[in-house]
Structures are given as structure tokens and as C-alpha cells.
Amino acid sequence: MSQNTPNSTPEPTVKVPKVILQTGRFLQSISTSLAATYGQRLFITPLKHKMPKREFHMDEQTEQTQLFVPAFVKSIVVYRYGKSDKKILLAHGWSGRGTQLVKIADHFLKLGYEIISFDAPAHGKATGKTTSMPEFIASIHEIEKQFGTFEFAIGHSLGGMALLNAVREGFQTKKLVTIGAADVITDIILHFTRTLTLKDIVAEKMKAKFDQKFGRDIDYASAHIAAKEVNIPTLIVHDEHDADVPVSCAYAIHNELSNGSIHITKHLGHRRILGKQEVIEKIEGFLIG
């Protein structure tokens, strides 16, 4: 991987394969509704990435169990790292896995905490091919029933959005940290369809399909809306040069929190921020400093 210069984009978004772009545009030429159905399927299908070597030790040293989530009749994989009465829940983002926040996990393990993380449905070692944020949220609630209570919770990207919603719905923790969390779901869908070089009407039709599927306006789960009902101390961490989730999302979420703090980094992008020691120490200072 090439070294990023100070003025370069730290982490460009994933390049979409030509066959996917061509298929989407072909379907759109026939019907925007067909393109919306195709886009909807892609939108709920995460990529499973190969685990990098830096995560191997956490994978080897954790106790891993399958946990059935009745709300969606699916199973997830839960990782228990260390043993302690003081527990921290880690929630990965879209196309992530339970070991992705390994640097954060290692840091707090040394401080005497037990780390609980998980592979969400269709992620990591969990079964299935499709999932959605409601399933992330339901997984968090089920983990709390089986493994709680948690001193703190830390979520990256979609994991941060899911934790904000889970806290709004009653998940109990003393403090919360989100890292690179996105915000308005309509905006996420629009960004997704534009990345696929599809017309904006396709995004509108996709959103309508999701609204129908879940029986409500899915923007209800947007992070800044959930934040209005989150009263515990919450730290919003985001990189100014995040190429996947604009930093404006961090400010929008922070503006709605009644007890929020914000920490903006530079040139770390959407994922490298997870392993930066100064960021981890900032999180430690917020949680237990």
C-alpha cells in the first residue's frame, strides 16, 4: 500500500467492479424499478474480507460462540476476549468483523476489561449473505441479554449507528463512543446509487422498498435522530478526510446529543483511525480518564 501524502485522500472508497456497474445501468435502461430491486439486494449484501494478520492473535485467543437472535431468526458469532467483571462491547461496521477493532480491544484488555465483540449476520464467521442495520441493533440487544451488563460500548461506522439506536431503545451502558459513524440513511442510499452510476430516482425507489419492508420510514434510524434520545456521555470520533463517511455526519450527530463530545482527526480515513494510538488514548481518557 502506498504511503499517503498529507494532502491526499487517505483511504479511497472501494472500486466497484465493472460487471456490477454495467448490470445496474442495463437494468436501469429497462426499468428504474428493476434497477432499484438490484440495488436493494446489493445494498444489504456485505463483502467478506480476508482477516489480516494483525487480527490473528485476537481470533486465536478469544472464546467464540454462536448466538441465536430470535428477532431475525439468525445467528451471530460472539467473541469473548479476556475475563473480567468490567466489560466493553465492540460493534464493527459494514463488511467488518468481530476482530476488526483489535487495537482497541488489546488496549482495554491490558487495562483489565473483558472485551465482547461479534460478527453481525452475514459478516465474518456468521452465516447468511444479507443483513441490515435492524439486525445489527437486534444483535446488540441479544448480546446484552446473554453477556451484559457493559461498562462501555464502542462502535465503528454502522456499528456506531446501531449502538446509538440500541441505547435509544434501552441498551444499558455508562458511556458510548462512535467512530466514523454515518448519519442519514437516505443519504447513504443516495451515495450508494451514485457510486453505481445510477439515477437518483433509483435511490428514491430503493428507500421506498426499505420503508415498506420495515414498516416505517427508515430514516427514523438515522444517527442524529437516535442521538436526540441518547443521554449518556457520548464521544463522537471522526476523521476530517474520511472518504467513505463525510465528517459532516459527526457534527450532525454531536449537535443532537445532550451529553456529547467530539474529536476530529486528520489523514486517518475511515479504517486506519481504528488503530491509531492517539485515538485509542483519547477514547481511554473519555471512558476512564
Side-chain angles (χ1 to χ4, degrees), residues 176-237:
L176 171 65
V177 178
T178 71
I179 307 170
D183 184 17
V184 181
I185 297 174
T186 293
D187 292 345
I188 299 171
I189 295 173
L190 184 60
H191 174 75
F192 177 78
T193 53
R194 287 178 176 175
T195 301
L196 295 178
T197 65
L198 300 176
K199 297 175 182 177
D200 289 355
I201 185 63
V202 175
E204 294 175 18
K205 291 187 175 184
M206 280 178 60
K207 195 224 177 231
K209 288 176 178 290
F210 283 122
D211 287 347
Q212 183 177 23
K213 177 179 179 179
F214 295 112
R216 70 190 315 171
D217 185 342
I218 56 172
D219 276 334
Y220 171 81
S222 296
H224 80 279
I225 295 177
K228 295 178 181 181
E229 298 178 56
V230 173
N231 299 314
I232 59 172
T234 301
L235 174 64
I236 306 300
V237 180

Side-chain angles (χ1 to χ4, degrees), residues 1-14 238-247 264-274 276:
M1 183 178 293
S2 62
Q3 187 70 26
N4 294 299
T5 61
N7 294 321
S8 66
T9 301
E11 205 171 338
T13 52
V14 176
H238 210 110
D239 191 75
E240 185 177 306
H241 303 91
D242 190 325
D244 294 327
V245 179
V247 71
I264 305 299
T265 63
K266 294 184 178 182
H267 309 298
L268 295 178
H270 190 62
R271 295 174 185 83
R272 287 195 298 119
I273 193 172
L274 296 173
K276 190 68 171 178

